[in-house]
Amino acid sequence: MYDFKSVFLGFSDSDKEAERNPEMFGKLFFDPENNLQELIKGDRFIISGRKGDGKSAYSAKISLLEDELDLCTAKKPLTNFNNIIFQQLSSFKNFGGNPYVSFWKCVLMIETVKLINEKETYVSNTQFNNLVGALENVGLLHTEDIARTITKLVETNTSFSIKSVINVGRRHEDVKELQGSEEIYLAIRNCIKNLYFGERKHFLLIDNLDDILSVDNFNPKVITGLIKACDEINSAFSKSACHLKIMVFVRSDVLTVCRDTNFAKILRDSMIELSWKIEDTSDAFSSKLMRLVEKRFEPEWGEKVSLKQIWEQMFEPIDASRSSLEYVLENIIYRPRDILQLMIEIQKIYEPGRKITEAMLQSALYNYSNGYFVPAMLDELTGFFPDEAVTTLPSVLSKLGQQYFNAEEFKIECGKHKEFEGVDTTALLEKMFVDGYIGQHRPKERKDYTVFKYRNPRESFIEEHECIIHRGLMRSLTIV
């Protein structure tokens, strides 16, 4: 019997895994739909999915391909983001349409200058060198943090003096003060779009948009403006001498609250949505999700040993009616982070040479529910509902006392807690349904049935139908 303890199941954070063990991460990266090819060579620039679907894994993988594919990349996570800073723009009220598009275009062009200045060791272009000097003079090139770039740009009141960018070709150099984000954007874009670096591609990777949800007064138009700005920039550079593309890695539930003119068209033309749906749980070993798990075993167990063989060696059957894998799948949501985190809990209690019994599996599932599943639910709700209500939610679900409940019962229980004052409890249930933490019972004339959104993506929340708490929550909530 092979040793399960020797299998590297990774970290919950893809960036951390890629940073600490890049060679192993490169081998274990799993891209069943060949999305990486489309991101690098195609027109799509948005990777969307649920939290835990592996969006950041694509960002990390692209960064690791710099030498192999002759790329220049810069990861720009939106950590430390201050949403309020946008309100300080003096020209805020003068923008047409989405008020953030022009400002984002300006910020992203400055970040592009940083990328080229850092990764291209020698640029013999007077315009570009003057541009770099002007940005350095106002402190816009001295930080890798995009949030600091935003703050610094606001501090300069979106204006600074620049030489020989607008007035190129004249005998005497002039100094021009650029006023406003649109003018700065156009000046920088016109300067760098004709720079030539052969076939080398330049990518800005905008990740960690989740952090924006945790700031005060989150405004979806900030995200909408960012994506529309990326779309415009990518279009402008699609046929330029300088190969530039900006990619955005964003949660699908964030995109659902974003609205703007033509925004749906941009998403349709430019988005790749990750999905790990298992069509047939009786044949789950052939699913994308379980093939991802299988790949984790290959470095230690070899490629010739299938996950089905591995599973049968490791697990005792649960009962005659279902396999241990089917039982495991009932306790997770179908996404990479969930199954890998559960496998890590199983690995902790595994004893070499001994099969995992049902009692051992129950113990692992309790630790998984308590240590991962409930916190994951709270993370996904954060930003959409008040922190106090999100923190109190497990207690409310626990006090319901049973797996099945209706919307009115949930509302009454929430009403007993001051943290839920002003909270739309129906909207909260709908969000939990969309995220997969509750399902619903559908009454039918012939046979009633149960639905979960991650199993049936076309399903929608129906307030009148009975709700069902996901099995992955029940152990932590002490619900039988």
Side-chain angles (χ1 to χ4, degrees), residues 393-404:
L393 179 61
S395 177
V396 169
L397 294 173
S398 183
K399 288 179 179 178
L400 288 171
Q402 55 188 359
Q403 187 179 13
Y404 298 86

Side-chain angles (χ1 to χ4, degrees), residues 449-462:
Y449 65 102
T450 298
V451 299
F452 279 88
K453 181 77 171 176
Y454 66 92
R455 298 176 190 167
N456 312 86
R458 289 186 293 272
E459 292 287 347
S460 300
F461 181 76
I462 300 174

